[in-house]
Amino acid sequence: MSNQTKRRLRGQGKKNYDIKLSFASVDQAGNEGVAIRGFIPPSEQTIPAHPVNPPAVAPIAIDTTSELLFNYQVVGGVPYEYDIGQFEITAAQYCAFLNAVDSKGENPKQPWTKVKLWNEKNNPLVNHFQGQILYVDHADDGQHYAVADPVWADKPVMMINGFQFAYFINSLVNGEAVGHKQSKRKSPLGFDVDVTDRYYKFSETIDTGSYDLSDSNYAFLARQNVDGLFFPSQDEWIKAAYYAGEETGNGTNYFYFPTVSNEAPIPLFTQEGKSQDLAKGEAADSSFARVNVSDTGEVQTEDLESIVKSNQGYSNYDFGVFWQPWYAPAGQTYGNANVTDVGGSDSPSPWLAYDMGGNVVEYTDTIAGALDIPHLSEDLQQLPVGFRAHGGIANATGYQLWITATGAGDPYGQIIGSAYEYGGARLSFLGDDQSKNRTKNLRLSSRADVITGQKVVTRADSIATFDTHYSKSLGETIALLSEEDAGYVSMPSSFFNVSKKDGGRNYYSMTHDATGTSRIVRGKQRAKDIMKAGGYSDSDKAFRALPPMEGDVQFVGYFNPNTGAYGYSELEADAVGFAELGYISQGPVWSV
């Protein structure tokens, strides 16, 4: 029996899934909420808050004069049991959603909301520092989106607005729950928590489901179902983050911070973050500024365990984590801290939900009230309300982690149509599982198998020299785009590097010394012969592709006999442009 036959037989009876989501149960239904005033520092003098007389404590300084932020609220009481997502939605999970619901890569504007599921802020060719998802022009159905680099796969997805997350949720609700697996784990407080891994297939139906996004008269995220997947409500979120179910040492059953502590968690640090903190003279405590995050955003858990103050927990906040992907030009952090892998801080809430303090702020589906405060974010729908968001971010100080960090306006009444770099989400689950309790016969679908930008060939054109530069290195393309005087722009000609087993041939690129343009030829010997003849430099393997006419898309070569320059494109508009510049078509050079 051949290996291929064995693999086929092993695959029989298996069911595909697109995404696994992990949830932790939050019980003690009917718990009492706790009275707070928004953005007042939590203490035994301020919590529980008095309904009439505000405390004689100054609120955190926020750039607004609205008293809505500091209003009296009772939060955290939930009359039913539910599950909270253990982790924030990751870039790989959102990429799988894109490939499932936009299999042809058309990325249309959605009716009414006018948002696209993928935008230029997600694009690493535009947003070199935090663009996590690359669009691939020429790809098979269900493979038009790729995680820009493996370092982003398990990071929380960024640059996604509330509507996009709502479409994500609707797709899951309308899809299929194909299996689940339950286990018990211990809370940091010692009680048992039921943890459930749920496996889903996405549906292309995204405008209705948990939320109705199909009606221009429907402006708010009101839940359409009793059971299923949702954004957490504000009370669900706060209970999962702070509620202990017992006295916490501050006179209430709630902690002040979402790391099972009444003290602020210890900030995570990269080497650069530590250096900046020491330069500002803000890290007198050596343990406080200890490097515990790698230069690719992975938390080094062995370093966390050795810190004496570990009872406080750890969190990615307070400008401690600075790193950038390898392909981003040096120094392009723009002064912004970056995110870490979800769950990396290893400091869960009482109910085993991770990163509820720091990394990215998280949407809820609770309305925040009238938006009468000027905003910097974009409100495409001119909504009359915002939606509460919680959790703090990597790029802000600790006040956002307080249990009191909620108000009726900005900054924690987010405009749901805006795409904010530190905006994220986790889900809640209500009801009973409809799938069978099995995972043995499940396998990850091909469209959800993480494809990364390391396999994508991208193109950059110079408007000065008319160079068409193709490279399998995202870093090489971005380096050209970042050269201020070179005038390079990205072009919609990307494709996947074709593997050898699929017939891919090696194509080499070299620079024409006289014009600064790229010449691309097939085969190492052909490249050597041209280099030996002179007039060219910087020969390098550019990519692998199919020979002419073997693929569906033909990349045509053009030659300018007056200058000796070459150009390459599959676009009809470029054929016209090259002709106007005096280039002569040489026919297809490669195909994909």
Side-chain angles (χ1 to χ4, degrees), residues 53 376 469:
N53 301 317
L376 298 177
H469 186 89

Side-chain angles (χ1 to χ4, degrees), residues 67-91:
E67 295 183 0
L68 289 171
L69 286 170
F70 317 125
N71 63 348
Y72 175 86
Q73 304 170 66
V74 177
V75 298
V78 181
Y80 47 82
E81 294 184 356
Y82 64 99
D83 288 1
I84 189 72
Q86 287 194 280
F87 309 105
E88 294 156 336
I89 300 303
T90 67

Side-chain angles (χ1 to χ4, degrees), residues 128-453:
H128 310 325
F129 175 50
Q130 288 177 321
Q132 299 171 301
I133 300 176
L134 189 65
Y135 179 82
V136 186
D137 298 277
H138 303 296
D140 292 337
D141 286 357
Q143 294 189 346
H144 283 281
Y145 299 93
V147 176
D149 189 85
V151 299
W152 290 120
D154 292 326
K155 304 292 191 299
V157 65
M158 297 182 287
M159 307 293 176
I160 301 299
N161 65 41
F163 284 126
Q164 291 167 302
F165 280 123
Y167 288 122
F168 178 94
I169 294 170
N170 282 349
S171 177
L172 289 170
V173 169
N174 293 317
E176 182 182 359
V178 298
H180 68 276
K181 181 180 181 180
Q182 294 177 317
S183 61
K184 286 189 180 294
R185 290 183 55 195
K186 287 291 184 184
S187 161
L189 298 178
F191 57 81
D192 287 336
V193 177
D194 290 327
V195 172
T196 305
D197 293 333
R198 295 186 170 94
Y199 299 79
Y200 295 93
K201 291 185 70 172
F202 288 110
S203 167
E204 293 184 2
T205 302
I206 62 174
D207 56 345
T208 59
S210 290
Y211 304 102
D212 188 352
L213 303 176
S214 64
D215 187 350
S216 61
N217 294 315
Y218 183 82
F220 316 123
L221 289 185
R223 296 182 179 183
Q224 300 297 291
N225 307 313
V226 175
D227 296 337
L229 294 166
F230 307 95
F231 289 109
S233 68
Q234 171 170 271
D235 285 331
E236 289 171 359
W237 200 100
I238 288 177
K239 180 177 180 179
Y242 302 98
Y243 182 68
E246 60 186 29
E247 216 282 332
T248 62
N250 62 25
T252 77
N253 288 346
Y254 291 80
F255 288 107
Y256 294 154
F257 292 89
T259 50
V260 195
S261 180
N262 292 317
E263 297 182 63
I266 298 172
L268 296 171
F269 280 93
T270 56
Q271 182 61 54
E272 182 179 348
K274 176 183 176 181
S275 299
Q276 292 188 21
D277 212 55
L278 291 173
K280 292 184 293 185
E282 296 179 359
D285 186 339
S286 61
S287 69
F288 199 75
R290 179 168 181 155
V291 174
N292 42 37
V293 179
S294 73
D295 58 6
T296 55
E298 284 84 38
V299 181
Q300 310 299 307
T301 55
E302 63 274 13
D303 292 328
L304 298 183
E305 295 168 357
S306 62
I307 297 178
V308 175
K309 293 183 179 179
S310 60
N311 61 298
Q312 291 175 239
Y314 307 85
S315 183
N316 181 18
Y317 77 108
D318 206 19
F319 310 93
V321 173
F322 284 84
W323 67 273
Q324 62 185 56
W326 65 270
Y327 50 76
Q332 278 207 4
T333 65
Y334 307 106
N336 291 339
N338 215 334
V339 292
T340 56
D341 282 359
V342 297
S345 63
D346 200 26
S347 299
S349 75
W351 303 95
L352 295 180
Y354 293 80
D355 303 312
M356 298 194 88
N359 241 4
V360 291
V361 69
E362 300 171 15
Y363 286 106
T364 75
D365 60 10
T366 298
I367 294 174
L371 294 177
D372 61 348
I373 307 169
H375 297 278
L376 298 177
S377 49
E378 187 178 11
D379 184 7
L380 298 177
Q381 294 71 44
Q382 298 183 340
L383 298 179
V385 297
F387 295 83
R388 300 286 173 88
H390 288 273
I393 62 174
N395 210 51
T397 55
Y399 78 90
Q400 293 187 348
L401 279 61
W402 298 346
I403 189 174
T404 57
T406 176
D410 258 1
Y412 275 60
Q414 302 289 340
I415 296 177
I416 198 168
S418 66
Y420 176 48
E421 58 261 49
Y422 298 108
R426 74 179 67 232
L427 307 189
S428 67
F429 176 89
L430 278 71
D432 298 322
D433 285 292
Q434 301 302 313
S435 64
K436 292 183 179 180
N437 187 0
R438 64 180 186 186
T439 57
K440 183 178 181 180
N441 292 321
L442 298 181
R443 64 180 176 187
L444 190 67
S445 67
S446 59
R447 65 187 181 185
D449 192 9
V450 176
I451 303 169
T452 69

